[in-house]
């Protein structure tokens, strides 16, 4: 009778251990699945961020090129304006000289 009680106790302990092991395995599988989903999300976010950064760098390069072109055009326009102002001054001087002659 005592031996039967010990066997019953051991079987109960075995059942509890198997139940706990099964629960832990399920938790482990869920944790692994959660990890894989999180990893995929981070990988996707990183890839999209890298793509956005590449596009931003390309936009900056294009804007820098346009700025350089615009600065060149502005320099030319300033020189032309200075020449035109000088020519106007000469023309005005010539006109005033002829008017007085």
């Amino acid at each position: 009778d005592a031996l039967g009680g010990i066997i019953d106790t051991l079987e109960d302990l075995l059942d509890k251990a198997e139940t706990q092991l099964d629960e832990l395995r399920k938790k482990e599988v869920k944790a692994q699945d959660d990890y894989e989903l999180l990893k995929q999300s981070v990988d996707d976010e990183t890839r999209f961020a890298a793509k956005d950064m590449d596009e931003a760098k390309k936009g900056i390069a294009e804007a820098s090129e346009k700025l350089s072109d615009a600065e060149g055009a502005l320099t030319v326009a300033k020189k032309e304006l200075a020449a035109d102002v000088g020519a106007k001054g000469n023309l005005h001087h010539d006109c005033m000289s002829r008017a007085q002659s």
Side-chain angles (χ1 to χ4, degrees), residues 58-72:
K58 182 180 176 184
I60 289 170
E62 289 173 357
S64 294
E65 185 178 336
K66 288 180 182 179
L67 176 62
S68 178
D69 291 346
E71 287 173 340

Side-chain angles (χ1 to χ4, degrees), residues 5 7 32 43 46 54 56 59 64-66 70 73 77 80 86 94 100:
I7 292 174
Q32 183 66 33
D43 289 347
T46 301
D54 288 344
S64 294
E65 185 178 336
K66 288 180 182 179
E80 290 174 352
D94 289 347
Q100 291 178 358

Side-chain angles (χ1 to χ4, degrees), residues 3 13 19 21 34 39 42 66 93:
L3 184 59
L13 289 173
T19 299
L21 180 62
D34 291 347
K39 183 180 183 302
V42 169
K66 288 180 182 179
H93 184 304

Side-chain angles (χ1 to χ4, degrees), residues 86-101:
K88 177 187 171 248
N90 291 338
L91 181 61
H92 179 72
H93 184 304
D94 289 347
C95 287
M96 293 303 286
S97 295
R98 289 184 186 171
Q100 291 178 358
S101 304

Side-chain angles (χ1 to χ4, degrees), residues 18-33:
E18 287 175 346
T19 299
Q20 288 177 348
L21 180 62
D22 186 50
E23 289 173 2
L24 290 173
R25 284 181 177 158
K26 287 178 183 177
K27 287 181 181 180
E28 181 182 17
V29 168
K30 183 179 182 328
Q32 183 66 33
D33 289 345

Side-chain angles (χ1 to χ4, degrees), residues 29-64:
V29 168
K30 183 179 182 328
Q32 183 66 33
D33 289 345
D34 291 347
Y35 167 79
E36 293 298 329
L37 287 173
L38 180 60
K39 183 180 183 302
Q40 182 64 45
S41 175
V42 169
D43 289 347
D44 289 346
E45 192 172 323
T46 301
R47 188 173 56 253
F48 292 138
K51 182 181 175 190
D52 290 346
M53 183 181 290
D54 288 344
E55 289 175 2
K57 286 179 180 179
K58 182 180 176 184
I60 289 170
E62 289 173 357
S64 294

